[in-house]
Amino acid sequence: MTIAGKPVPHESARGHATGDALYTDDLLGRFPRLLHAWPVTAPHAHARVTWLDAALALDEPGVVTTLTASDVPGDGDTGPSRHDEPLFPNEVMFHRQPVAWVLGETLEAAQRGTARVRVAYEPLPAILTIHQAIDAGSFLTEPLRLTRGDVSAIGMSACRIDGELAMGGQEHFYLETQAAIAWMDESGGVMVHSSTQHPSETQEIVARVLGLRRNQVAVECLRMGGAFGGKEVQANTWAAIAALGAWKTSRPVRVRLTRELDMALTGKRHPYLARYTAGFSSSGQIEVLKLEFFSDGGWSLDLSEPIMWRSLFHCDNAYFLPNVEATGRVCRTHKTSQTAFRGFGGPQAMVAIEDILSQAAQRLSIPADTIRERNFYQAGHTTHYGQQVSEADRIHTIWHQLKETSAFDARRADVAAFNARHDQAKRGLAITPAKFGISFTATFYNQGGALVLIYRDGTVQVNHGGTEMGQGLFTKIHQIAVDSLGVGADQVRVMSTRTDKVPNTSATAASAGTDLNGAAVADACRQLRARLDAVAATLETSPSSFQALCEAAYMQRVPLFAQGYYRTPEIHFDRAKGRGKPFHYFAFGAAVSEVEIDRFTGDYRVRRVDILQDVGDSLSPVIDRGQIEGGFIQGMGWLTLEELLWDDQGRLATAGASTYKLPSWSEMPDDFRVSFLQGAAQPAVVFGSKAVGEPPLMLAISVREALRDAIAAFGAGDSAFGARDSVTFDSPATPERVFFAVRRVRAERTALR
């Protein structure tokens, strides 16, 4: 009996519910004489360290030692691409950047010890916004660029849209904060337990800092309590500090950030500024688009450049752009280094194109759903970077199916009727599509490995390079292994991720965890199944069980372990030419959202959401549904609730759950419907499935557009489609922004009278 495609529960569901599931910081009891690390943080966003004396910390009872630049035996820099992230900086680049660490017998002792460390600073001017960075010429990259056609004729279009859109960042707010434990083994090697999405890179950084070869460092990730991209690169620093402390003291060292410290020290989703000029025909066809993206990269490069590339790749969303010039540049500011976040730059670009289309719809008095449909990719179209949209028909299929199942046209009429009867509240309805490319933008990351071990008793251990952060990867890997080997579910155990089992792994990111690691596991299982079938063919009678077959294979000296490997085929991209096929395939989806806004407060509620998502042949329907629901709500939080604010000193003002608004039960749609596109098996992907981690997040743009629709209704008068002048507002669309947008359209309506 196969289990792939069946609604099996998450493999750690019971452990999550009972508390039996262990995370990095739950392992403290395994390490006698464990030391606790705490940072000495700078009180400036930008300053020069002129003097530092950590000796007085040793006078604090319980303090064992301190860590400063002089303790680093190797290269004291954790920057993943550029070496631009010193562990112990001479120049402070963001508020509360650590300049030294204290190790204590207890966390409290370490915290008290940091108060005794003396540091002198020379404050320097700080750049804290994208506009300030542009004015100062403060950038981390040169301009990145994708073009097609000729944008010089933009003045010839019947309708021209010019504007600027600011989009805020987003805090990852994973339930488990950054954590690592490191210790030395008897051979002088280092072992690290880390809450990391990229164990191999964590291994590389630890080896770099300690001046070791990689075979002297092993990194293990048991599971993570969430990550969302925030632990792809930024887990490395904390692992490096733990390893450095273990190296210096020969004792295990633990680093775990409190929630407040985690929010202050770690990167977020990049805030963006989009500037645009677009030309449309009188019928709503987009003719020309010029886009400029500026992202707030923070103090170091991190992953900001590939994130900007993905923004440029996704500025089309589901729409054919015949003439386009899209450029992007990463700004350097004196804030935390912004980093990967679910969607990896795609969401910001997709919000921009949807904003432009909605403005054109209002200016041309064309329904927003109509103008979107008129601009969809058609069969034979290629993207502005030269990749064929081979399944463009799925966009149309999803769109029409969802409009029918959501009763979109009937509800459009109901919304209009409600709005005609009510002045104090208005409703809005919107449908938006999503086309999201699946693969790493860095081609070399598109590979995965596995090691599958079968024991003589017929039980199986599966090792692979992916990490489990709650997204259900291990559940899918388990299903793949069970079905590939043809054994019972209870015979297969998926092991924790370790760099000494599967080397040179890619990060679990880009929605490619199952595609890469699942395919590698399937490859290893196919090899083993072929060997076992050959053994069975030599036996006079069929083996009575899988255990008996494995015993027979052992007796015949047939190896019962295999390495599996997978590399994504036929992907490439030439950055200089701006052409290639960077994605193995596209994931498609659409969502219909309905909202209601209170005129007097700007408060709103999401009345109903309908989603139709292309997941191929779902490997695990329960997991996929959870990913769609969770991704959508996280996207809705980014676009409507979650607002990061810094004061004029570069201090994060929204530094905890009391000031940073997260989606909760009260923000859930009153009616939430999720469906999968049927008959949508994806060729050349493991078990015909499709990625589902990131694509649903962008469907939350439908909530933003429904809010626009409702805001327009406050100033609509007799217009069926909203205010004649475009309704614009920055993101997130907090109740405050909605209130002022409503006030603007009502004022315009009054002025027209």
Side-chain angles (χ1 to χ4, degrees), residues 128-131 133-134 165-172 266-274 293-299 304 307-308 311 329-333 335-339 341 345 347-349 638 642-646 652 731-732:
L128 300 174
T129 69
I130 291 175
H131 285 101
I134 294 171
L165 172 64
M167 291 165 272
Q170 187 176 21
E171 169 63 37
H172 298 87
T266 64
K268 295 86 174 62
R269 185 189 294 279
H270 290 66
Y272 265 55
L273 175 68
F293 290 122
F294 298 93
S295 69
D296 182 345
W299 73 286
S304 297
I307 287 168
M308 181 57 77
S311 294
R329 202 161 187 193
V330 181
C331 299
R332 184 199 294 272
T333 61
K335 291 193 287 194
T336 54
S337 186
Q338 318 313 356
T339 191
F341 201 124
Q348 293 93 322
W638 169 55
E642 301 179 44
E643 188 169 28
L644 289 164
L645 298 172
W646 286 264
L652 182 65
S731 184

Side-chain angles (χ1 to χ4, degrees), residues 75-86 204-205 208 300-301:
D75 179 356
D77 193 291
T78 60
S81 49
R82 295 180 186 170
H83 284 213
D84 60 350
E85 296 185 9
E204 174 191 353
I205 297 300
R208 178 200 297 176
S300 68
L301 185 61

Side-chain angles (χ1 to χ4, degrees), residues 36 39 55 92 96 119 137 160 204 228 351 450 463 488 501 538-539 562 581 592 615:
H36 304 259
V92 171
R96 296 194 70 182
V119 190
R160 176 168 169 162
E204 174 191 353
F228 311 115
V351 168
N463 303 273
K501 289 289 189 69
T538 68
L539 303 177
K581 184 192 174 191
V592 172
V615 297

Side-chain angles (χ1 to χ4, degrees), residues 21-55:
L22 299 178
Y23 299 86
T24 297
D25 208 53
D26 293 322
L27 307 178
L28 303 187
R30 299 181 182 180
F31 301 99
R33 302 179 67 239
L34 181 78
L35 296 177
H36 304 259
W38 193 254
V40 177
T41 60
H44 305 283
H46 190 203
R48 187 171 290 109
V49 178
T50 59
W51 174 74
L52 188 151
D53 183 4

Side-chain angles (χ1 to χ4, degrees), residues 76 87-88 114 145 159 176 187 203 301 328 336 342 431 439 467-468 594 728 744-745:
L87 273 176
F88 304 100
T114 60
R145 189 166 178 263
C159 175
E176 178 200 22
S187 66
Q203 175 193 29
L301 185 61
T336 54
R342 199 174 192 171
I431 178 171
S439 289
T467 55
E468 176 61 50
E594 182 179 339
T728 60
R744 283 194 300 272
V745 299

